[in-house]
């Protein structure tokens, strides 16, 4: 017990959280889930598992909803080895326990309001996380109340870290780049657009999303937003307007748009593919001749499966560049599409499945605390 | 005349060189080709075209044969705009004319023995090149005679610059990488293997080539060389032996090996595709799921279409790192497969078409000088 900043016995032994049974209809909130210990989800036999020195426990107020959660529920996105296999990849809340050999001074002290990128289990009252992935909550401007602060903070870790990785680390967007953002009204899409414009000073960002949502990428700074047209018309429009135009493509659609994106990519384009929402299959007998002629680079990427060390550097770099822009008002608040109580998790997933959200959906967890 | 280091009038007005008519059978040597002037192949109206300050003329001794020449002859690889549209991309010989405002001190003086990467027209007695792409000939060890020096020098510019770009600039091969080299007995393949082992100190390089040629990649330093098996057996062997093994793939085959290479690529692999000798078409309905799961990056690249500035930096960086290794004997001589007289260019191409060469084929040009 002496190895924790607050003793484990101050935490309840059980908590409410979301369970599921790998069938879309089987998802429910249980109050009988064991509260994670600091040394959970650590490879057994390692030094870390003995001391739990690099883990932390967060008392969750809000958890972000991500498409990866739904894919995991549908058995299409298995959690990486040694990660918690329950749903939920990001939280805001209060840091309540910390390994006593906390790796470095950048980890906030126990009692802080924090947000964190977690490798699973965020849909619950308490979650065990890598201490180095815990971040202070940025100083948002013009907050209505404390609840709003935690809602916004739950919208940051996954979306902004992903967008930061795409825009800054992989594509390394420059002012004279011409960026195409697919699914531009998703939480990652909106964050990517704002980071391109405000952080990277990029002039030209074109977003693509459903007709009903074009206002949101425009508000985030997209120079132009293209609503979806019937497939053939959409393809013709894009090819005509943007033939060999885009030096950067941020693509979560995957196979179904591959041929079109080859055409709108410029010479030396950097194309980051971070999902395959359309399909993982390419069209029949795709030609890669344009890829060679235009010397295109495609970087396929994911976040959850990365090493703790990679994520530590990434979330901290993101925080160092992004948090000041929130407090200065350079970046607007992350757009919260909707907030659901934890019990309504299935409704939240249904809305995201139907592509009806624009921005981040969050689950309110804190009201369910039971000792 | 005063703008050239040696006057144009010292050069003949006509020369022998190779012409072709875009049909495989129509290729011949003509003695009636105008000798290029310093200001040829420069966009008209630019300052450069007036002064020819950044061009040079080389009196050619040997020209290297490249697969790109054959593809151009077959109308499958059109020369880039403003490039000479005749065949041949690299030469050795004597520098005989130089624009008087030579861009910098790194350009060898008139009268030097040189080698050069050229953007077309190397199959001829004289060729106009960008002065910044002219390099001194490395100090090769244990030369048999002067003729051998020029043969070896004609084997360097295209193969070693391409291999250097793949290995050092794009894949950035490190000692702990595991590299797969396709077409490992080609001149680029052999150069890439030696650069991986000797320059980048990479332990594990696996080459793939025809059964009759496995000795050459092995001699260049490949840890293992795999000869081609019947297609199905080859695929099974590679998948079993090298499942998710290679962190770097150097691929000039393109579409036909795409599925197999996805399987043998490791997590975070860098895959450089610099040709599509197999086919530019992918197999039907390829899945890109492994690309996402393994976070693979594919860099498609070509050399000829790049800007003069890019090539200047590349050939000079290559020279700075590679030339000393030749004079120290760390790198062995480039392997010369065979040397043909210029008149036998069609025979040389036939041999390369039949994939019967291992290493560089060169054309001997100098004997044909006529004033």
């Amino acid at each position: 017990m002496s190895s924790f900043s607050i003793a484990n016995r101050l935490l309840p032994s059980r908590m409410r959280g979301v369970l599921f049974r790998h069938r879309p209809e089987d998802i429910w909130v249980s109050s009988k889930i064991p509260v994670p210990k600091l040394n959970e989800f650590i490879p057994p036999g390692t030094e870390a598992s003995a001391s739990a020195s690099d883990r932390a426990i967060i008392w969750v107020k809000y958890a972000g909803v991500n498409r990866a959660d739904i894919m995991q529920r549908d058995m299409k996105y298995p959690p990486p080895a040694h990660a918690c296999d329950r749903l939920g990849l990001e939280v805001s809340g209060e840091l309540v326990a910390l390994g006593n050999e906390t790796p470095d001074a950048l980890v906030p002290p126990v009692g802080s309001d924090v947000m964190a990128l977690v490798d699973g289990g965020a849909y619950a009252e308490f979650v065990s996380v890598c201490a180095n992935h815990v971040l202070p909550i940025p100083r948002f401007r013009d907050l209505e109340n404390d609840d709003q602060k935690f809602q916004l903070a739950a919208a940051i870790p996954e979306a902004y870290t992903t967008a930061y990785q795409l825009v800054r680390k992989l594509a390394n967007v420059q002012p004279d780049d011409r960026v195409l953002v697919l699914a531009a009204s998703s939480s990652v899409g909106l964050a990517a657009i704002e980071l391109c414009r405000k952080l990277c000073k990029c002039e030209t960002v074109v977003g693509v999303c459903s007709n009903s949502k074009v206002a949101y990428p425009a508000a985030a700074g997209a120079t132009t937003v293209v609503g979806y047209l019937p497939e053939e018309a959409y393809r013709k429009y894009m090819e005509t307007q943007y033939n060999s135009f885009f030096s950067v493509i941020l693509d979560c659609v995957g196979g179904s748009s591959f041929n079109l994106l080859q055409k709108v990519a410029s010479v030396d384009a950097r194309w980051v593919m971070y999902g395959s929402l359309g399909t993982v299959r390419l069209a029949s007998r795709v030609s890669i001749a344009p890829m060679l002629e235009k010397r295109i680079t495609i970087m396929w990427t994911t976040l959850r499966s990365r090493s703790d060390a990679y994520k530590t550097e990434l979330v901290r770099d993101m925080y160092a560049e992004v948090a000041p822009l929130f407090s200065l008002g350079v970046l607007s608040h992350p757009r919260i599409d909707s907030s659901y109580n934890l019990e309504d998790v299935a409704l939240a997933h249904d809305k995201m499945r139907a592509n009806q959200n624009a921005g981040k959906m969050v689950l309110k967890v804190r009201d369910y605390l039971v000792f």
Side-chain angles (χ1 to χ4, degrees), chain A residues 91-268:
Chain A
V91 294
S92 64
E94 185 186 331
L95 186 64
V96 293
L98 203 54
N100 70 338
E101 294 168 41
T102 302
D104 60 50
L106 293 172
V107 178
V110 165
S112 303
D113 292 342
V114 296
M115 59 188 191
L117 189 69
V118 308
D119 55 13
Y123 290 9
E125 284 169 339
F126 294 93
V127 65
S128 163
V129 306
C130 174
N132 289 331
H133 303 167
V134 178
L135 299 168
I137 293 179
R139 289 205 313 129
F140 296 112
R141 286 155 70 101
D142 307 322
L143 285 176
E144 288 160 23
N145 50 49
D146 214 45
D147 189 67
Q148 192 197 12
K149 180 180 82 173
F150 285 103
Q151 273 198 21
L152 295 174
I156 303 281
E158 185 74 20
Y160 281 75
T161 306
T162 299
Y164 182 84
Q165 186 199 27
L166 306 180
V167 167
R168 197 69 154 172
K169 295 282 183 182
L170 296 173
N172 187 18
V173 169
Q174 299 297 312
D176 60 350
D177 272 318
R178 295 185 299 263
V179 180
L180 175 64
V181 179
L182 301 189
S185 60
S186 67
S187 58
V188 173
L190 293 173
I193 290 165
E194 251 207 315
L195 294 182
C196 283
R197 295 303 300 274
K198 306 287 178 58
L199 181 62
C200 306
K201 315 285 189 196
C202 173
E203 288 290 330
T204 307
V205 181
V206 174
V208 174
C209 61
S210 305
N211 284 322
S212 59
K213 302 178 194 167
V214 292
Y216 308 114
T223 324
T224 311
V225 187
V226 180
Y228 268 113
L229 301 164
E231 191 178 330
E232 185 61 23
Y234 168 68
R235 209 170 61 231
K236 273 223 173 102
Y237 175 82
M238 291 294 285
E239 283 183 30
T240 313
Q241 291 291 309
Y242 298 113
N243 179 34
S244 295
F245 182 80
F246 294 106
S247 55
V248 171
I249 297 175
L250 307 182
D251 171 15
C252 57
V253 174
S256 52
S257 57
F258 194 85
N259 274 338
L260 174 61
L261 295 180
Q262 283 197 79
K263 286 175 185 150
V264 300
S266 74
V267 169
D268 290 321

Side-chain angles (χ1 to χ4, degrees), chain A residues 8 23 39 63 83 121 141 152 166 171 175 180 202 209 232 266 269 271 279 284 307 321 337 352 354 367 369:
Chain A
N8 254 352
R23 289 197 317 188
N39 59 351
R141 286 155 70 101
L152 295 174
L166 306 180
L180 175 64
C202 173
C209 61
E232 185 61 23
S266 74
W271 175 348
T279 162
S284 194
S307 70
E321 289 214 88
D337 174 87
M352 186 175 270
D367 285 351
L369 179 65

